[in-house]
Amino acid sequence: MQTEYRQRREQLMAKIGTGTAIFRSAPMAVMHNDVEYTYRQDSDFFYLTGFNEAQAVAVLAPHHGEHRFVLFVQPKDREKEVWSGYRCGIDAAKELYGADEAYPISELDEKLPQYLEKADRIYYHLGRDRSFNDKILGHYQSLLRTYPKRGTGPIAIEDTGPILHSMRLVKSETELELMRQAAAIATEAHNYAQEITAPGCYEYEIQAEMERIFRLRGGMGPAYPSIVASGANACVLHYIENVRQMQDGELLLIDAGCAYGYYNSDITRTFPVGRKFTPEQKTLYEIVLEAQKQAIAQIKPGNPHKLVHDTAVRVLTEGLVELGILKGEIDKLIEEEKYKPYYMHRTSHWLGLDVHDVGVYQHGDDKPQILQPGQILTVEPGLYIVPDTKLAEDQPETDPRWIGIGIRIEDDVLVTPGGNEVLTAAVPKAVDEVER
Ligand code: GLY
Ligand code: MN
Ligand code: MN
């Protein structure tokens, strides 16, 4: 794996040439008072180093003769390690992580300038930590002040995103293996959830069983707070309280994915709590399923990413018109976004180290992002007939029989040379499969 991290650094360094790139580890996040969340490294930092400790900075200086990759890390400290765990320390940062040079993080201000003063620009992502941004800007300013003395030094700061994130967008074989495993674990959990769900269950019971499987299979845990939403709770897109007791005759929407080896899956299924759909649930469900199938069919190399959403929106809008929930001419309804009270989110996002993974969706108004092999994206159309749906004036009142039904179906799809592969296909979604 170290070889792959090195290759990624080399690839990035080839692109930044005479610049110096700086990456910062993720900060520790506080749960409450002095208790912290389990540490999770920043995805860019991890992608380039595999290093998973806090309080670290990675510097890539391709133009520096000896030190092209430098790590600043927390030094070994026996007493602190007893409380909060193993630290790699300075020496192992070189031996295990391949740094050409490593320093204690406390020496960042002193040592950093030597890696910047011959660079023509700094590649750095201005993150949420204002004080660290200020630190980097301070170095930049002081090098600008002394530029006349040297005649070298950075004269611009450029975001690392466009270069690094276009690399992260296309997954390697190693990454794909981890993604497959994240998908397989979540698949098992969803299948089990469908097996055990019954009227009278509490949403948290299903959540607990799924998250048990995530950990049991070696996953890091949920990829995001699991959504287990019964009845009208399914109309709240990010419902995560998961406290309600579900009833016969309702639907259960589960949006839950697993993190495995830092990579994520993201699956949604909606199915009857009892044995069968009601006619209304089934009608809406079939529209969403058809939208998802048609959207997935558009995933192949050469097609624009946008086609996935546009296809889903068309099928959903046609379905709503057929049911009399929307009224009007399809193209016009789509153009005026009249479907939005019932379908208010996008159909697809990139998936990888981040659940909403990095990478652009279009390059300006007239240049779409074209799908290519190795990209992984979700396809997640839905319909949500919210009780207080605010309708346009020219639209009919929603018939009460539809109200309170929320449906989403989401799979993770790999773009392959010949089209696509649905990584999460083994979770049932056909009507006769989810009815019991
Ligand atoms: N669960 C987050 C998403 O589906 O995008
Ligand atoms: Mn999801
Ligand atoms: Mn998603």
Side-chain angles (χ1 to χ4, degrees), residues 24 38 61 84 89 100 132 140 151 183 211 217 222 257 263 280 283 286 316 335 347 375 386 397 399 412 429 432:
R24 197 197 175 200
T38 307
S84 46
D100 300 314
F132 195 78
Y140 175 52
E211 294 180 2
R217 298 286 176 251
Y263 287 81
E280 287 78 14
T283 302
E286 283 177 330
L316 295 173
E335 193 188 311
T347 305
Q375 293 172 339
V386 192
E397 281 291 318
D399 188 324
D412 304 342
K429 61 183 174 186
D432 59 346

Side-chain angles (χ1 to χ4, degrees), residues 224-225 227 238 255-256 266 268 349 355-356 378 380 408 410:
Y224 49 88
I227 298 165
H238 290 165
D255 184 345
D266 182 3
T268 308
H349 55 82
V355 173
H356 293 167
T378 65
E380 49 181 305
R408 178 163 65 257
E410 174 175 29

Side-chain angles (χ1 to χ4, degrees), residues 297-352:
Q298 297 299 340
I299 298 181
K300 53 185 157 204
N303 269 358
H305 176 273
K306 186 175 168 317
L307 197 54
V308 176
H309 181 62
D310 291 349
T311 302
V313 163
R314 180 161 293 273
V315 178
L316 295 173
T317 306
E318 285 169 356
L320 291 171
V321 168
E322 212 164 293
L323 300 183
I325 295 177
L326 281 180
K327 196 178 72 186
E329 201 260 315
I330 305 289
D331 286 337
K332 192 152 177 279
L333 291 169
I334 292 174
E335 193 188 311
E336 293 176 356
E337 300 187 330
K338 289 282 166 55
Y339 57 85
K340 270 209 165 161
Y342 310 101
Y343 183 46
M344 57 297 282
H345 60 80
R346 300 287 297 180
T347 305
S348 173
H349 55 82
W350 306 122
L351 183 70

